[in-house]
Every structure is written in C-alpha cells, then in structure tokens.
Amino acid sequence: MMATACTRCGWWAYARQGVPAAPKHACHPLCPLNRKASSLQPHPPQCSSPSEAQILVAMATQPHYKEFTIVGRRKPTDQEQNPPVYRMRVFAPNPVVARARFWYFMRTLKKLKRVNGEVIAFHEIVERNDRVRNYGIWLRYNSRTLTHNMYKEFRDTSRAGAVTQLYQDMAGRHRARLSTIQIIDVKELAAKDCVRVSTQQFHSNKIKFPLPHRVLRAAHKSSKTFLAKRPSTHFH
C-alpha cells in the first residue's frame, strides 16, 4: 500500500501498489486548505460523507448494550429426534457476543456445546424509550475471592440502558468485567417498590434542580466585546 496526498485539501489516500492515483473524494470542510500537501503528515481516518458521520453519531448516542432473544436446542439425532428447546434473553454489545454468551450459559447449565447445538431463532428486542422508568436488576458476579449475589436499581428509558449503567457501575465500584457478571433478572418497578434511596429521591413531585451558576447571553443589539465590569453568573 502507498499513500498519496490530495493537492487540494491535503487529506491522505491509500492506493494499491502500482496505482498511485490521486484521491477523488471531495475536500472536507475542516481540511487545511492553506497548507501545502508536501508539509502535511498522515491524518487519521475521517468521515468523507454525511452518511458516515450520521452513523458515527448514532453509534455514540445509542446504548452500549442491546437486548437479544436467542432460541436454541441440541441437534436432532436418531436417539433424540425432538430435543428440548431453550430460550434466553441476553444483553450484549453486538450479535456476536450475544451468541457467545448464549452458548456459554448452555454449556454451563445444560452441558450443551456449540458444536452439538443449533440456533433456531435470533432477534434483537427494541423498546420504546419515551419515558424514564425504574428498573431492578438481580445479578451474580465473581470477585477475586468469592461469588456474590447482588440487587441494584437504576432509572433509564429502556432495559438495555439500565443494563449499560449496571456494567459501568460494577466496573467502577467492584472492578467486575463483563465475563464475571451474570444477570439473573431485570424487572420494571413501580415507585412504591423501589428500595434504594438513590432511586427514591427522584419520585417526589416537588423535586427541583437548582441552577446556581448560569451564564447569561446578552442581546444581539446590545452585545459588546468589552464590558465595564465582570458579569456575575452566581445567583443565590
């Protein structure tokens, strides 16, 4: 592979050996047009079209973990033509990890390996995230010494978002990794069923969020570059 710099915007493109063609992409709005291509260094990959930028924004804003439903069973044989079917709901960042977690639990609980089984159905569960709900999560995780049972509560707009908070909280408080955490159950809770103070504090009808430090924007007509006194942004 060889790198060639665009003489117009300076972005670097990579071509195969023997085809040192100049890049044909349009100049990026942030490209340094006033710099020479000879003095530029290779840049990291950048978005060359609005569609790619929209994809990157969507990946950054969506929950890190997703919820999948996987249905599998043991492969039929002459001795067992109708093996039992197992269904499991798994939280994972992508379908590949979801299938791996499914077969991990099947191997642990049912002594069924991937080579001897098959996946019948695989679906991603998409929820409506129109309002904030309370979620209770029962889990089991392995620490450096023992196996612990735990119950936690989170507030989020979806089950996947609550599980994402769970993994972040477990990593920060207990240094627990994804492979050491086993989610037993995730349920939506009513306000009266919540027991954690961190969750109950948001159930009051008189809850307020004070803004003691605010930056006031001056009107466009009266805006000035310099002021006679420093503006006050703290309100009591």
Side-chain angles (χ1 to χ4, degrees):
M1 302 291 288
M2 64 178 303
T4 57
C6 179
T7 57
R8 183 180 179 187
C9 63
W11 293 105
W12 287 74
Y14 294 87
R16 295 181 178 179
Q17 294 289 352
V19 191
K24 299 181 180 180
H25 65 275
C27 291
H28 196 274
L30 301 179
C31 289
L33 298 177
N34 56 348
R35 299 175 61 184
K36 295 182 180 179
S38 59
S39 62
L40 292 177
Q41 299 296 329
H43 291 275
Q46 301 289 337
C47 296
S48 58
S49 62
S51 59
E52 295 181 7
Q54 295 175 0
I55 293 174
L56 293 178
V57 172
M59 291 175 61
T61 56
Q62 67 181 355
H64 182 63
Y65 288 90
K66 304 175 183 179
E67 186 175 5
F68 300 91
T69 298
I70 307 176
V71 180
R73 66 174 183 177
R74 187 184 298 272
K75 291 182 180 179
T77 59
D78 297 338
Q79 293 78 11
E80 189 178 11
Q81 298 182 359
N82 295 321
V85 179
Y86 304 97
R87 182 177 65 90
M88 187 178 300
R89 303 181 74 170
V90 180
F91 294 92
N94 52 63
V96 177
V97 179
R99 291 174 181 268
R101 295 293 290 176
F102 172 76
W103 289 117
Y104 164 78
F105 288 113
M106 293 299 295
R107 184 176 66 255
T108 305
L109 302 175
K110 300 299 180 180
K111 307 299 181 182
L112 176 59
K113 295 184 178 181
R114 182 183 301 183
V115 294
N116 300 326
E118 60 181 0
V119 175
I120 302 176
F122 183 90
H123 302 285
E124 179 183 351
I125 300 177
V126 180
E127 298 181 89
R128 294 184 57 185
N129 52 359
D130 53 349
R131 62 185 180 88
V132 180
R133 303 176 179 85
N134 307 311
Y135 292 97
I137 303 179
W138 289 261
L139 68 141
R140 179 188 301 112
Y141 84 99
N142 298 325
S143 65
R144 298 180 179 179
T145 56
L146 298 174
T147 301
H148 309 272
N149 296 322
M150 190 174 295
Y151 168 76
K152 286 183 172 292
E153 290 180 357
F154 299 96
R155 285 173 57 82
D156 207 285
T157 57
S158 63
R159 292 162 53 95
V163 172
T164 301
Q165 294 188 44
L166 169 69
Y167 281 116
Q168 295 175 352
D169 184 81
M170 293 297 296
R173 295 179 184 270
H174 306 282
R175 297 183 180 181
R177 299 183 301 272
L178 170 64
S179 58
T180 63
I181 300 175
Q182 300 179 6
I183 299 177
I184 300 175
D185 195 6
V186 180
K187 290 185 179 180
E188 181 179 350
L189 304 177
K192 61 180 181 179
D193 298 331
C194 297
V195 296
R196 297 290 186 260
V197 179
S198 59
T199 306
Q200 294 175 349
Q201 65 180 349
F202 294 99
H203 296 162
S204 175
N205 295 330
K206 299 181 180 179
I207 186 173
K208 296 180 180 180
F209 299 93
L211 301 174
H213 181 73
R214 286 173 287 181
V215 179
L216 301 179
R217 297 186 60 183
H220 181 69
K221 295 182 180 180
S222 61
S223 61
K224 299 180 181 179
T225 305
F226 302 98
L227 296 177
K229 62 179 181 179
R230 180 180 298 177
S232 177
T233 60
H234 295 274
F235 300 87
H236 301 285

Coordinates of all heavy atoms in Angstrom, one line a residue, residues 40-102:
L40 N 2.4 18.2 5.0 CA 1.4 17.6 5.8 C 1.8 16.2 6.2 O 2.6 15.5 5.6 CB 0.1 17.4 5.1 CG -0.7 18.8 4.8 CD1 -1.9 18.5 4.0 CD2 -1.0 19.5 6.1
Q41 N 1.4 15.7 7.4 CA 1.6 14.4 7.9 C 0.3 13.6 7.7 O -0.8 14.1 7.6 CB 2.0 14.5 9.4 CG 3.3 15.2 9.6 CD 4.5 14.6 9.0 OE1 4.5 13.4 8.8 NE2 5.4 15.4 8.5
P42 N 0.4 12.3 7.7 CA -0.8 11.4 7.5 C -1.8 11.7 8.6 O -1.4 11.7 9.8 CB -0.2 10.0 7.6 CG 1.2 10.1 7.2 CD 1.6 11.5 7.7
H43 N -3.0 11.9 8.2 CA -4.1 12.1 9.2 C -4.8 10.8 9.5 O -4.8 9.9 8.7 CB -5.1 13.1 8.6 CG -4.6 14.5 8.4 ND1 -4.6 15.4 9.5 CD2 -4.0 15.1 7.4 CE1 -4.0 16.5 9.1 NE2 -3.7 16.4 7.8
P44 N -5.5 10.7 10.7 CA -6.3 9.6 10.9 C -7.5 9.5 10.0 O -7.9 10.6 9.4 CB -6.7 9.8 12.4 CG -6.6 11.2 12.6 CD -5.4 11.7 11.8
P45 N -8.1 8.4 9.9 CA -9.3 8.3 9.0 C -10.4 9.3 9.5 O -10.7 9.4 10.6 CB -9.8 6.8 9.2 CG -8.6 6.1 9.7 CD -7.8 7.1 10.5
Q46 N -11.0 9.9 8.5 CA -12.0 10.9 8.8 C -13.3 10.6 7.9 O -13.2 9.8 7.0 CB -11.6 12.3 8.4 CG -10.3 12.8 9.2 CD -10.7 13.0 10.7 OE1 -11.8 13.3 11.0 NE2 -9.6 12.9 11.5
C47 N -14.4 11.2 8.3 CA -15.6 10.9 7.6 C -15.6 11.7 6.3 O -15.3 12.9 6.3 CB -16.8 11.4 8.4 SG -17.0 10.5 10.0
S48 N -15.9 11.0 5.2 CA -15.8 11.7 3.9 C -17.2 11.9 3.3 O -17.3 12.5 2.3 CB -15.1 10.8 2.9 OG -15.7 9.5 2.8
S49 N -18.3 11.6 4.0 CA -19.6 11.8 3.6 C -20.6 12.0 4.8 O -20.3 11.5 5.8 CB -20.1 10.6 2.7 OG -20.2 9.4 3.5
P50 N -21.7 12.7 4.6 CA -22.6 12.9 5.7 C -23.2 11.6 6.3 O -23.5 11.5 7.4 CB -23.7 13.8 5.1 CG -23.0 14.5 4.0 CD -22.0 13.5 3.4
S51 N -23.3 10.6 5.4 CA -23.9 9.4 5.9 C -23.0 8.7 6.9 O -23.5 8.2 7.9 CB -24.2 8.4 4.7 OG -22.9 8.2 4.0
E52 N -21.7 8.7 6.6 CA -20.8 8.1 7.6 C -20.8 8.9 8.9 O -20.7 8.3 10.0 CB -19.4 8.0 7.0 CG -19.3 7.1 5.8 CD -17.9 7.1 5.3 OE1 -17.0 7.7 5.9 OE2 -17.6 6.5 4.2
A53 N -20.9 10.2 8.8 CA -20.9 11.0 10.1 C -22.2 10.7 10.9 O -22.1 10.6 12.1 CB -20.9 12.5 9.7
Q54 N -23.3 10.5 10.2 CA -24.5 10.2 10.9 C -24.4 8.9 11.6 O -25.0 8.6 12.7 CB -25.7 10.3 9.9 CG -26.0 11.6 9.4 CD -27.1 11.6 8.3 OE1 -27.6 10.6 8.0 NE2 -27.4 12.8 7.8
I55 N -23.8 7.9 10.9 CA -23.6 6.6 11.5 C -22.8 6.7 12.8 O -23.1 6.0 13.8 CB -23.0 5.6 10.5 CG1 -24.0 5.4 9.4 CG2 -22.6 4.3 11.2 CD1 -23.4 4.5 8.2
L56 N -21.7 7.4 12.7 CA -20.8 7.6 13.9 C -21.6 8.2 15.1 O -21.4 7.9 16.2 CB -19.6 8.4 13.6 CG -18.6 7.7 12.6 CD1 -17.5 8.6 12.3 CD2 -18.1 6.4 13.2
V57 N -22.4 9.2 14.8 CA -23.2 9.9 15.8 C -24.2 8.9 16.4 O -24.4 8.9 17.6 CB -23.9 11.2 15.3 CG1 -24.8 11.7 16.3 CG2 -22.8 12.2 14.9
A58 N -24.8 8.1 15.6 CA -25.8 7.2 16.1 C -25.1 6.1 17.0 O -25.7 5.7 18.0 CB -26.5 6.5 14.9
M59 N -23.9 5.7 16.6 CA -23.2 4.7 17.4 C -22.8 5.3 18.8 O -22.8 4.6 19.8 CB -22.0 4.2 16.7 CG -22.3 3.4 15.4 SD -20.8 2.9 14.5 CE -19.9 2.0 15.8
A60 N -22.5 6.6 18.8 CA -22.1 7.2 20.1 C -23.3 7.5 21.0 O -23.1 7.5 22.2 CB -21.3 8.5 19.8
T61 N -24.5 7.7 20.5 CA -25.6 8.1 21.3 C -26.4 6.9 21.7 O -27.2 7.0 22.7 CB -26.5 9.1 20.5 OG1 -26.9 8.5 19.3 CG2 -25.8 10.4 20.3
Q62 N -26.4 5.8 21.0 CA -27.2 4.6 21.4 C -26.6 3.9 22.6 O -25.4 4.0 22.9 CB -27.4 3.7 20.2 CG -26.1 3.0 19.8 CD -26.3 2.1 18.6 OE1 -27.4 1.9 18.2 NE2 -25.2 1.5 18.2
P63 N -27.4 3.1 23.4 CA -26.9 2.4 24.5 C -25.8 1.4 24.0 O -25.9 0.8 22.9 CB -28.1 1.7 25.0 CG -29.3 2.5 24.6 CD -28.9 3.1 23.3
H64 N -24.8 1.2 24.9 CA -23.7 0.4 24.5 C -24.2 -1.1 24.4 O -23.7 -1.8 23.6 CB -22.6 0.5 25.5 CG -21.4 -0.3 25.2 ND1 -20.6 -0.1 24.1 CD2 -20.8 -1.3 25.8 CE1 -19.7 -1.0 24.0 NE2 -19.7 -1.7 25.1
Y65 N -25.1 -1.5 25.3 CA -25.5 -2.9 25.3 C -27.0 -3.0 24.8 O -27.8 -2.1 24.9 CB -25.5 -3.4 26.8 CG -24.1 -3.7 27.3 CD1 -23.4 -2.7 27.9 CD2 -23.5 -4.9 27.1 CE1 -22.2 -2.9 28.4 CE2 -22.2 -5.2 27.5 CZ -21.6 -4.2 28.2 OH -20.3 -4.4 28.7
K66 N -27.2 -4.1 24.1 CA -28.5 -4.3 23.5 C -29.1 -5.6 24.0 O -28.4 -6.4 24.6 CB -28.4 -4.4 21.9 CG -27.8 -3.2 21.3 CD -27.6 -3.4 19.8 CE -26.9 -2.2 19.2 NZ -26.7 -2.4 17.7
E67 N -30.4 -5.8 23.8 CA -31.1 -7.0 24.4 C -31.4 -7.9 23.2 O -32.0 -7.4 22.2 CB -32.3 -6.6 25.2 CG -33.0 -7.8 25.9 CD -34.1 -7.4 26.7 OE1 -34.4 -6.2 26.8 OE2 -34.7 -8.2 27.4
F68 N -31.1 -9.1 23.3 CA -31.4 -10.1 22.3 C -32.1 -11.3 22.8 O -32.0 -11.7 24.0 CB -30.1 -10.6 21.6 CG -29.2 -9.6 21.0 CD1 -28.2 -8.9 21.8 CD2 -29.4 -9.2 19.7 CE1 -27.4 -7.9 21.2 CE2 -28.6 -8.2 19.1 CZ -27.6 -7.6 19.9
T69 N -33.0 -11.9 22.0 CA -33.7 -13.2 22.3 C -33.1 -14.3 21.4 O -33.2 -14.1 20.2 CB -35.2 -13.0 22.1 OG1 -35.7 -12.0 23.0 CG2 -35.9 -14.3 22.4
I70 N -32.6 -15.3 22.1 CA -32.0 -16.4 21.3 C -32.7 -17.7 21.7 O -32.9 -18.0 22.9 CB -30.5 -16.5 21.7 CG1 -29.8 -15.2 21.4 CG2 -29.8 -17.6 20.8 CD1 -28.3 -15.2 21.8
V71 N -33.1 -18.5 20.7 CA -33.7 -19.7 20.9 C -32.8 -20.8 20.2 O -32.4 -20.7 19.0 CB -35.1 -19.8 20.2 CG1 -35.8 -21.1 20.4 CG2 -36.0 -18.7 20.8
G72 N -32.5 -21.8 21.0 CA -31.6 -22.9 20.5 C -31.9 -24.2 21.1 O -32.7 -24.3 22.0
R73 N -31.3 -25.2 20.6 CA -31.5 -26.6 21.0 C -30.4 -27.5 20.6 O -29.5 -27.1 19.9 CB -32.8 -27.2 20.4 CG -32.8 -27.3 18.9 CD -34.0 -28.0 18.4 NE -33.9 -28.3 16.9 CZ -34.8 -28.9 16.2 NH1 -35.9 -29.4 16.8 NH2 -34.6 -29.1 14.9
R74 N -30.4 -28.7 21.1 CA -29.4 -29.7 20.6 C -29.8 -30.2 19.2 O -31.0 -30.3 18.9 CB -29.3 -30.9 21.6 CG -28.2 -31.9 21.4 CD -28.3 -33.0 22.4 NE -28.1 -32.5 23.7 CZ -27.0 -32.4 24.3 NH1 -25.9 -32.8 23.7 NH2 -26.9 -32.0 25.6
K75 N -28.8 -30.5 18.4 CA -29.1 -31.0 17.1 C -29.8 -32.4 17.2 O -29.5 -33.2 18.0 CB -27.8 -31.2 16.3 CG -27.1 -29.9 16.0 CD -25.8 -30.1 15.2 CE -25.1 -28.8 14.8 NZ -23.9 -29.1 14.1
P76 N -30.9 -32.5 16.4 CA -31.6 -33.8 16.4 C -30.7 -35.0 16.0 O -29.9 -34.9 15.1 CB -32.8 -33.6 15.4 CG -32.9 -32.1 15.3 CD -31.5 -31.5 15.5
T77 N -30.9 -36.1 16.7 CA -30.2 -37.3 16.3 C -31.2 -38.5 16.2 O -32.4 -38.3 16.5 CB -29.2 -37.6 17.4 OG1 -29.8 -37.8 18.7 CG2 -28.1 -36.5 17.5
D78 N -30.7 -39.6 15.9 CA -31.6 -40.8 15.8 C -32.2 -41.2 17.2 O -33.3 -41.6 17.3 CB -30.9 -42.0 15.2 CG -30.4 -41.7 13.8 OD1 -31.1 -40.8 13.1 OD2 -29.5 -42.3 13.3
Q79 N -31.4 -41.0 18.2 CA -31.8 -41.3 19.6 C -32.8 -40.3 20.1 O -33.7 -40.6 20.9 CB -30.6 -41.5 20.5 CG -29.7 -42.7 20.2 CD -28.8 -42.4 19.1 OE1 -28.7 -41.3 18.6 NE2 -28.2 -43.5 18.6
E80 N -32.6 -39.0 19.7 CA -33.4 -37.9 20.2 C -33.8 -37.0 19.0 O -33.1 -36.1 18.7 CB -32.7 -37.1 21.3 CG -33.6 -36.1 22.0 CD -32.8 -35.4 23.1 OE1 -31.6 -35.5 23.2 OE2 -33.4 -34.7 23.9
Q81 N -35.0 -37.3 18.5 CA -35.4 -36.6 17.3 C -36.0 -35.2 17.6 O -35.9 -34.3 16.8 CB -36.4 -37.4 16.5 CG -35.8 -38.7 16.0 CD -36.8 -39.5 15.1 OE1 -37.9 -39.1 14.9 NE2 -36.3 -40.7 14.6
N82 N -36.6 -35.1 18.8 CA -37.2 -33.8 19.2 C -36.6 -33.3 20.5 O -37.1 -33.5 21.6 CB -38.7 -34.0 19.4 CG -39.4 -34.3 18.0 OD1 -39.1 -33.7 17.0 ND2 -40.4 -35.2 18.1
P83 N -35.4 -32.8 20.5 CA -34.7 -32.3 21.7 C -35.4 -31.1 22.3 O -36.1 -30.4 21.5 CB -33.3 -32.0 21.2 CG -33.5 -31.7 19.8 CD -34.6 -32.5 19.3
P84 N -35.3 -30.8 23.6 CA -35.9 -29.6 24.2 C -35.4 -28.3 23.6 O -34.2 -28.3 23.2 CB -35.7 -29.8 25.6 CG -34.5 -30.7 25.7 CD -34.6 -31.6 24.5
V85 N -36.2 -27.3 23.6 CA -35.8 -26.0 23.0 C -35.6 -25.1 24.2 O -36.5 -25.0 25.1 CB -36.9 -25.5 22.0 CG1 -36.5 -24.1 21.5 CG2 -37.0 -26.5 20.9
Y86 N -34.6 -24.2 24.2 CA -34.3 -23.3 25.2 C -34.3 -21.9 24.6 O -33.8 -21.6 23.6 CB -32.9 -23.6 25.8 CG -32.8 -25.0 26.3 CD1 -32.2 -26.0 25.5 CD2 -33.2 -25.4 27.6 CE1 -32.0 -27.3 26.0 CE2 -33.1 -26.6 28.1 CZ -32.5 -27.6 27.3 OH -32.4 -28.9 27.7
R87 N -34.9 -21.0 25.4 CA -35.0 -19.6 25.0 C -34.3 -18.7 26.1 O -34.5 -19.0 27.3 CB -36.4 -19.1 24.8 CG -36.5 -17.7 24.4 CD -38.0 -17.3 24.1 NE -38.8 -17.3 25.3 CZ -39.0 -16.3 26.1 NH1 -38.4 -15.1 25.8 NH2 -39.7 -16.4 27.2
M88 N -33.5 -17.8 25.7 CA -32.8 -17.0 26.6 C -32.7 -15.5 26.1 O -32.6 -15.3 24.9 CB -31.3 -17.5 26.8 CG -30.5 -16.8 27.9 SD -28.9 -17.6 28.0 CE -29.3 -19.3 28.4
R89 N -32.8 -14.6 27.1 CA -32.7 -13.1 26.8 C -31.3 -12.7 27.3 O -31.0 -12.8 28.4 CB -33.8 -12.3 27.5 CG -35.2 -12.8 27.1 CD -36.2 -12.0 27.7 NE -36.3 -10.7 27.1 CZ -37.3 -9.8 27.4 NH1 -38.3 -10.2 28.3 NH2 -37.4 -8.6 26.8
V90 N -30.5 -12.2 26.4 CA -29.1 -11.9 26.6 C -28.8 -10.4 26.3 O -29.3 -9.9 25.4 CB -28.1 -12.8 25.8 CG1 -26.7 -12.5 26.1 CG2 -28.4 -14.3 26.0
F91 N -28.0 -9.8 27.2 CA -27.6 -8.4 27.0 C -26.1 -8.5 26.5 O -25.3 -9.0 27.2 CB -27.7 -7.6 28.3 CG -29.1 -7.4 28.7 CD1 -29.7 -8.3 29.6 CD2 -29.8 -6.3 28.3 CE1 -31.0 -8.1 30.0 CE2 -31.2 -6.1 28.7 CZ -31.7 -7.0 29.6
A92 N -25.9 -7.8 25.3 CA -24.6 -7.9 24.7 C -24.4 -6.6 23.8 O -25.4 -6.1 23.4 CB -24.3 -9.1 24.0
P93 N -23.2 -6.2 23.6 CA -23.0 -5.1 22.7 C -23.2 -5.3 21.2 O -23.5 -4.4 20.5 CB -21.5 -4.7 22.9 CG -20.9 -5.9 23.4 CD -21.9 -6.7 24.2
N94 N -23.2 -6.6 20.8 CA -23.4 -6.9 19.4 C -23.9 -8.4 19.3 O -23.8 -9.1 20.3 CB -22.1 -6.7 18.5 CG -20.9 -7.4 19.1 OD1 -20.9 -8.6 19.2 ND2 -19.9 -6.6 19.6
P95 N -24.4 -8.8 18.1 CA -24.9 -10.2 18.0 C -23.8 -11.3 18.2 O -24.1 -12.3 18.7 CB -25.4 -10.2 16.5 CG -25.7 -8.8 16.2 CD -24.7 -8.0 16.9
V96 N -22.6 -11.0 17.9 CA -21.5 -12.0 18.0 C -21.3 -12.3 19.5 O -21.3 -13.5 19.9 CB -20.2 -11.5 17.4 CG1 -19.1 -12.5 17.6 CG2 -20.4 -11.3 15.9
V97 N -21.2 -11.3 20.3 CA -21.1 -11.5 21.8 C -22.3 -12.1 22.4 O -22.2 -13.0 23.3 CB -20.7 -10.2 22.5 CG1 -20.6 -10.4 24.0 CG2 -19.5 -9.6 21.9
A98 N -23.5 -11.8 21.8 CA -24.8 -12.4 22.3 C -24.8 -13.9 22.1 O -25.2 -14.7 23.0 CB -26.0 -11.7 21.7
R99 N -24.4 -14.3 20.9 CA -24.4 -15.8 20.7 C -23.3 -16.5 21.5 O -23.6 -17.6 22.0 CB -24.1 -16.0 19.2 CG -25.2 -15.6 18.2 CD -24.7 -15.8 16.8 NE -25.8 -15.3 15.9 CZ -26.7 -16.2 15.3 NH1 -26.6 -17.4 15.6 NH2 -27.6 -15.7 14.5
A100 N -22.2 -15.8 21.8 CA -21.2 -16.4 22.6 C -21.7 -16.6 24.0 O -21.4 -17.6 24.7 CB -19.9 -15.6 22.6
R101 N -22.4 -15.6 24.5 CA -22.9 -15.7 25.9 C -24.0 -16.7 26.0 O -24.1 -17.5 27.0 CB -23.5 -14.3 26.3 CG -22.5 -13.2 26.4 CD -21.5 -13.4 27.6 NE -22.1 -13.3 28.9 CZ -21.5 -13.5 30.0 NH1 -20.3 -13.9 30.0 NH2 -22.2 -13.3 31.2
F102 N -24.8 -16.9 25.0 CA -25.8 -17.9 25.0 C -25.2 -19.3 25.1 O -25.6 -20.1 25.9 CB -26.7 -17.8 23.7 CG -27.6 -18.9 23.5 CD1 -28.8 -19.0 24.2 CD2 -27.4 -19.9 22.6 CE1 -29.7 -20.0 24.0 CE2 -28.3 -21.0 22.4 CZ -29.4 -21.0 23.1

